Amino acid sequence: MAVTSDAPDRPKYDPAVDLDFPPPNLGPSVHVVGTVVNVHPDETPHPKVRRGEMGKVLFDYGRNTISADPIARTNSNRCRDKGNVFTDVLRRAPQGQINPNRTRVDDPKLMSKHIKNVGHYFGASIVGIGRSHPALLYAGGTLRDTGFIVDSEEGPKETPQELCKKYPYVIVTPVAWDYDLAQAHRHHIGDAAYDTTLMQTVLVLTAVENYIKELGYTALRGKVNPQAAALAGGVGELGRNGLIISEKFGSRIHLSDAILTDLPLAPDEPIDLGVQDFCKVCRKCAETCPTNSITFDENKQVFNGVEKYKIKWETCYKLRPLVTQHWQICLTCSTVCPYTKPNTWWRTLAVQTLHRTPKPVRPVVVRSLKWLDDRFWGKIPNKRVRWLGYDSGIKPGVKACTVAGCTAQHDAAGHKADIPLSDIGYYAPLKENTNRFVKR
Ligand code: SF4
Ligand code: SF4
């Protein structure tokens, strides 16, 4: 049963009362400014959809969608047979035990360096280590892998405060979406970039969790909001688009979960990439969001004691069943973001220039960088992507494979490779179309 935010027994973080925990340092993009009521796993988007609380259409979408695309049937919950989705099998594997022969850690800094190397070795694109804090934790239970595992009762029964005293560190191990594939947002190709990295995060997190257990320490998954952990661990800043924007990959990273641990570590500090100054001026994501889920406001909102840009996840989610015949995950707000560029020297130079620019002068630099971004990449990137026989210039929903002799049914029947690029596919003016039925 769902637990509502106003439940009287809900754990809270109150900075005026919890004197053991000063407000967390989450960097320039997010500030805890009041009492934070810990969110229960049951109240997060995926569980609400799966219980039918977001309406019949989303319920049916969440429970019964089978993709026309064989890659989506292999790497996502839009599968035909869960046995063919390896992460689903992995999630159901029994949990391993903690090694009773604990490895001694004399130097937490060295161990941090080591665990980062281990995380990268297992496949993480970034490894961030932050301090745990009661405001970052769920209200109890478990929410793993972006909501694929939800258990209201599972795990230790300690309060967030007690858990943070026992397990002082959080580790995040995001995996970056392939840049070229992510250009084909609003297409099966973009979906593949997104869903495959989710699979990879599950693999990486499970491996790092088990590695920590083999060192003789506790590693708890599903206890910490991964975005908050990423802020604390210096992975990035929260953008207007509601995504963590990282230094190397922009917002094309998949977080999915975090690990709470007592392994002795030296945490990283939050970072300042100038995202706040950029988002104040830019608004590219808000202008192109097809569901008007992203705010245009200059100022952030205070929501549940936290000051940040907050997107309307309900309207974002409601797009999915309407387009599921063609594609699934919108990704426009990530793809258009000027920070989401290939990891090249000129990108690094632009980020570093902004970072080193004194705050009062930053708006001028941002306007110039945004002008360059619009000029060279367009308001919406329109690079045609051909990959594994898919072609993002062809409207999803018609047979997309243009490889000579290929008989795979990547899509429904029909071969329309000659349709002009500007009229079809993910380049279609989706926002104008959706404005007709999505309430502002
Ligand atoms: S609808 Fe698309 S652009 Fe808008 S918030 Fe959702 S994913 Fe981002
Ligand atoms: S597109 Fe612009 S406003 Fe949106 S998150 Fe990126 S930098 Fe911020």
Side-chain angles (χ1 to χ4, degrees), residues 13 20 23 34 47 53 56 143 162 170 175 205 207 229 237 247 253 270 295 302 317-318 325 349 360 370 383 389 414:
Y13 165 68
D20 288 346
E53 289 169 22
K56 280 183 194 166
L143 181 78
E162 287 163 345
V170 288
V175 177
L205 283 158
E237 289 184 68
E247 183 163 8
I253 55 169
T295 178
V302 176
Y317 215 135
K318 278 179 180 171
Q325 197 185 345
L349 184 68
K370 181 171 183 262
K383 188 177 164 203

Side-chain angles (χ1 to χ4, degrees), residues 285 288-291 293-294 311 316 319 330-333:
C285 52
T288 51
C289 170
T291 59
S293 300
I294 301 173
I311 73 155
C316 170
L319 183 64
C330 169
L331 300 179
T332 300
C333 51

Side-chain angles (χ1 to χ4, degrees), residues 186 287-290 380 428-437:
R186 303 188 203 160
E287 284 160 9
T288 51
C289 170
I380 295 189
L430 186 69
K431 184 162 176 118
E432 285 79 349
N433 291 340
T434 51
N435 272 344
R436 295 175 193 173
F437 60 82

Side-chain angles (χ1 to χ4, degrees), residues 220-249:
L220 297 172
R221 297 254 306 276
K223 305 295 172 200
V224 187
N225 177 310
Q227 280 202 329
L231 294 170
V235 167
E237 289 184 68
L238 189 74
R240 184 185 287 277
N241 57 7
L243 300 168
I244 296 293
I245 297 181
S246 63
E247 183 163 8
K248 279 190 179 170
F249 307 102

Side-chain angles (χ1 to χ4, degrees), residues 332-351:
T332 300
C333 51
S334 169
T335 310
V336 301
C337 179
Y339 280 87
T340 306
K341 291 288 176 290
N343 189 15
T344 54
W345 65 268
W346 47 263
R347 184 193 177 286
T348 309
L349 184 68
V351 171

